Amino acid sequence: MKQESLPLDNNPIGHSVTGFACGTMASIGFAAGDTNLYGYVANDPVNWIDPTGLARGDWWDPRTYLYPVGEAAGGASDFGRNYLNTRGADTIGGDKYFHCMANCQAASRGPGGVFAAENLSNLRESFDQNVKGDSAVACEQDQVANRAGRAGAGQQCSSVCGSFIPNGLPARYR
């Protein structure tokens, strides 16, 4: 059965209408020359829906709240893995490389990962300075690596963090 669509200029809702035989949505902006038929779901029609014709991330959509939580949990996992790598590599100066890697990997997950990266980095540096007795200079050097990692989100983290690789770091950690 072929799906009929409303003409774009007769949309009673004023947002978007189901159109075409495959059931895509056409934004009312299409009539104004917008040719992006998936803009209503941020070009991701597989993972996002818009049954009301409003917008991705509507308050009632549970993914609006669950995705950042999952990203933050994944970011925390990235920090745990890189902490273990720091211990396993046992290389002088390797901590900055792993700080950068943890931040880059976590931030690459999305806003929840960025949240985890910023907060875990700050907590760790506060602990190092106030409990372990690391100097403010050492903590700031770590924060430089942390910020470099977060700034490289979405890129190849080993390349982003390459300038922090210490001499003698085993190849399996690169």
Side-chain angles (χ1 to χ4, degrees), residues 51-102:
T52 65
L54 297 175
R56 173 182 172 191
D58 289 331
W59 67 268
W60 50 265
D61 187 344
R63 293 171 295 184
T64 301
Y65 311 102
L66 297 178
Y67 281 177
V69 172
E71 293 165 358
S77 175
D78 294 329
F79 270 74
R81 184 179 55 259
N82 279 285
Y83 174 77
L84 293 176
N85 286 344
T86 300
R87 305 306 259 169
D90 193 28
T91 305
I92 295 173
D95 63 325
K96 304 216 180 357
Y97 173 71
F98 292 111
H99 284 226
C100 182
M101 289 293 289

Side-chain angles (χ1 to χ4, degrees), residues 27-158:
S27 168
I28 292 306
F30 187 75
D34 183 0
T35 59
N36 183 358
L37 298 180
Y38 299 109
Y40 70 101
V41 287
N43 295 318
D44 190 1
V46 174
N47 292 310
W48 291 97
I49 60 172
D50 190 16
T52 65
L54 297 175
R56 173 182 172 191
D58 289 331
W59 67 268
W60 50 265
D61 187 344
R63 293 171 295 184
T64 301
Y65 311 102
L66 297 178
Y67 281 177
V69 172
E71 293 165 358
S77 175
D78 294 329
F79 270 74
R81 184 179 55 259
N82 279 285
Y83 174 77
L84 293 176
N85 286 344
T86 300
R87 305 306 259 169
D90 193 28
T91 305
I92 295 173
D95 63 325
K96 304 216 180 357
Y97 173 71
F98 292 111
H99 284 226
C100 182
M101 289 293 289
N103 276 273
C104 182
Q105 291 166 355
S108 293
R109 293 179 179 274
V114 171
F115 175 83
E118 289 174 345
N119 286 286
L120 290 172
S121 292
N122 291 337
L123 282 171
R124 182 185 54 226
E125 295 311 323
S126 178
F127 177 83
D128 287 354
Q129 191 171 6
N130 297 310
V131 176
K132 287 177 42 183
D134 287 0
S135 71
V137 171
C139 288
E140 180 52 33
Q141 289 171 345
D142 287 345
Q143 287 288 29
V144 167
N146 295 336
R147 288 188 293 270
R150 288 192 300 269
Q155 300 175 46
Q156 183 68 29
C157 292
S158 57

